[in-house]
PDB file of all heavy atoms in Angstrom:
ATOM      1  N   SER A 443      28.551  43.512 -37.793  1.00 97.00           N
ATOM      2  CA  SER A 443      27.119  43.482 -37.489  1.00 97.00           C
ATOM      3  C   SER A 443      26.370  43.027 -38.738  1.00 97.00           C
ATOM      4  O   SER A 443      26.443  43.678 -39.785  1.00 97.00           O
ATOM      5  CB  SER A 443      26.632  44.871 -37.060  1.00 97.00           C
ATOM      6  OG  SER A 443      25.239  44.869 -36.817  1.00 97.00           O
ATOM      7  N   ILE A 444      25.657  41.910 -38.624  1.00 96.00           N
ATOM      8  CA  ILE A 444      24.952  41.357 -39.775  1.00 96.00           C
ATOM      9  C   ILE A 444      23.480  41.152 -39.422  1.00 96.00           C
ATOM     10  O   ILE A 444      23.117  41.009 -38.251  1.00 96.00           O
ATOM     11  CB  ILE A 444      25.569  40.024 -40.237  1.00 96.00           C
ATOM     12  CG1 ILE A 444      25.379  38.925 -39.188  1.00 96.00           C
ATOM     13  CG2 ILE A 444      27.042  40.209 -40.562  1.00 96.00           C
ATOM     14  CD1 ILE A 444      25.837  37.551 -39.646  1.00 96.00           C
ATOM     15  N   ALA A 445      22.640  41.154 -40.442  1.00 96.00           N
ATOM     16  CA  ALA A 445      21.223  40.907 -40.229  1.00 96.00           C
ATOM     17  C   ALA A 445      21.012  39.494 -39.707  1.00 96.00           C
ATOM     18  O   ALA A 445      21.586  38.532 -40.226  1.00 96.00           O
ATOM     19  CB  ALA A 445      20.457  41.107 -41.536  1.00 96.00           C
ATOM     20  N   SER A 446      20.207  39.378 -38.666  1.00 95.00           N
ATOM     21  CA  SER A 446      19.941  38.063 -38.092  1.00 95.00           C
ATOM     22  C   SER A 446      19.398  37.095 -39.141  1.00 95.00           C
ATOM     23  O   SER A 446      19.724  35.908 -39.142  1.00 95.00           O
ATOM     24  CB  SER A 446      18.947  38.205 -36.937  1.00 95.00           C
ATOM     25  OG  SER A 446      18.731  36.965 -36.302  1.00 95.00           O
ATOM     26  N   LYS A 447      18.602  37.613 -40.056  1.00 92.00           N
ATOM     27  CA  LYS A 447      18.021  36.754 -41.096  1.00 92.00           C
ATOM     28  C   LYS A 447      19.063  36.193 -42.051  1.00 92.00           C
ATOM     29  O   LYS A 447      18.812  35.199 -42.736  1.00 92.00           O
ATOM     30  CB  LYS A 447      16.971  37.537 -41.891  1.00 92.00           C
ATOM     31  CG  LYS A 447      15.624  37.635 -41.206  1.00 92.00           C
ATOM     32  CD  LYS A 447      14.583  38.213 -42.146  1.00 92.00           C
ATOM     33  CE  LYS A 447      13.195  38.171 -41.527  1.00 92.00           C
ATOM     34  NZ  LYS A 447      12.167  38.742 -42.451  1.00 92.00           N
ATOM     35  N   SER A 448      20.231  36.825 -42.127  1.00 91.00           N
ATOM     36  CA  SER A 448      21.269  36.338 -43.035  1.00 91.00           C
ATOM     37  C   SER A 448      22.196  35.333 -42.365  1.00 91.00           C
ATOM     38  O   SER A 448      23.116  34.822 -42.992  1.00 91.00           O
ATOM     39  CB  SER A 448      22.092  37.512 -43.581  1.00 91.00           C
ATOM     40  OG  SER A 448      22.923  38.059 -42.579  1.00 91.00           O
ATOM     41  N   ALA A 449      21.958  35.070 -41.081  1.00 86.00           N
ATOM     42  CA  ALA A 449      22.788  34.114 -40.346  1.00 86.00           C
ATOM     43  C   ALA A 449      22.055  32.782 -40.268  1.00 86.00           C
ATOM     44  O   ALA A 449      21.144  32.604 -39.461  1.00 86.00           O
ATOM     45  CB  ALA A 449      23.080  34.635 -38.942  1.00 86.00           C
ATOM     46  N   GLY A 450      22.429  31.847 -41.117  1.00 77.00           N
ATOM     47  CA  GLY A 450      21.788  30.543 -41.147  1.00 77.00           C
ATOM     48  C   GLY A 450      22.332  29.619 -40.072  1.00 77.00           C
ATOM     49  O   GLY A 450      23.160  30.012 -39.238  1.00 77.00           O
ATOM     50  N   PRO A 451      21.894  28.356 -40.094  1.00 76.00           N
ATOM     51  CA  PRO A 451      22.331  27.399 -39.068  1.00 76.00           C
ATOM     52  C   PRO A 451      23.840  27.230 -39.015  1.00 76.00           C
ATOM     53  O   PRO A 451      24.418  27.100 -37.929  1.00 76.00           O
ATOM     54  CB  PRO A 451      21.647  26.094 -39.508  1.00 76.00           C
ATOM     55  CG  PRO A 451      20.482  26.525 -40.334  1.00 76.00           C
ATOM     56  CD  PRO A 451      20.908  27.783 -41.021  1.00 76.00           C
ATOM     57  N   GLY A 452      24.497  27.245 -40.197  1.00 72.00           N
ATOM     58  CA  GLY A 452      25.945  27.087 -40.208  1.00 72.00           C
ATOM     59  C   GLY A 452      26.658  28.221 -39.501  1.00 72.00           C
ATOM     60  O   GLY A 452      27.576  28.008 -38.700  1.00 72.00           O
ATOM     61  N   THR A 453      26.238  29.457 -39.794  1.00 78.00           N
ATOM     62  CA  THR A 453      26.838  30.619 -39.146  1.00 78.00           C
ATOM     63  C   THR A 453      26.627  30.557 -37.635  1.00 78.00           C
ATOM     64  O   THR A 453      27.549  30.785 -36.846  1.00 78.00           O
ATOM     65  CB  THR A 453      26.230  31.916 -39.713  1.00 78.00           C
ATOM     66  OG1 THR A 453      26.504  31.999 -41.108  1.00 78.00           O
ATOM     67  CG2 THR A 453      26.801  33.140 -39.009  1.00 78.00           C
ATOM     68  N   ARG A 454      25.404  30.252 -37.233  1.00 84.00           N
ATOM     69  CA  ARG A 454      25.094  30.225 -35.805  1.00 84.00           C
ATOM     70  C   ARG A 454      25.849  29.115 -35.081  1.00 84.00           C
ATOM     71  O   ARG A 454      26.247  29.273 -33.920  1.00 84.00           O
ATOM     72  CB  ARG A 454      23.586  30.068 -35.609  1.00 84.00           C
ATOM     73  CG  ARG A 454      22.793  31.269 -36.119  1.00 84.00           C
ATOM     74  CD  ARG A 454      21.300  31.043 -36.095  1.00 84.00           C
ATOM     75  NE  ARG A 454      20.593  32.151 -36.716  1.00 84.00           N
ATOM     76  CZ  ARG A 454      20.213  33.255 -36.097  1.00 84.00           C
ATOM     77  NH1 ARG A 454      20.476  33.393 -34.807  1.00 84.00           N
ATOM     78  NH2 ARG A 454      19.585  34.218 -36.743  1.00 84.00           N
ATOM     79  N   ALA A 455      26.068  28.009 -35.758  1.00 79.00           N
ATOM     80  CA  ALA A 455      26.800  26.903 -35.136  1.00 79.00           C
ATOM     81  C   ALA A 455      28.293  27.172 -35.040  1.00 79.00           C
ATOM     82  O   ALA A 455      28.995  26.493 -34.282  1.00 79.00           O
ATOM     83  CB  ALA A 455      26.554  25.618 -35.924  1.00 79.00           C
TER      84      ALA A 455
END
Side-chain angles (χ1 to χ4, degrees):
S443 178
I444 66 174
S446 184
K447 280 190 174 180
S448 72
T453 299
R454 295 172 186 273

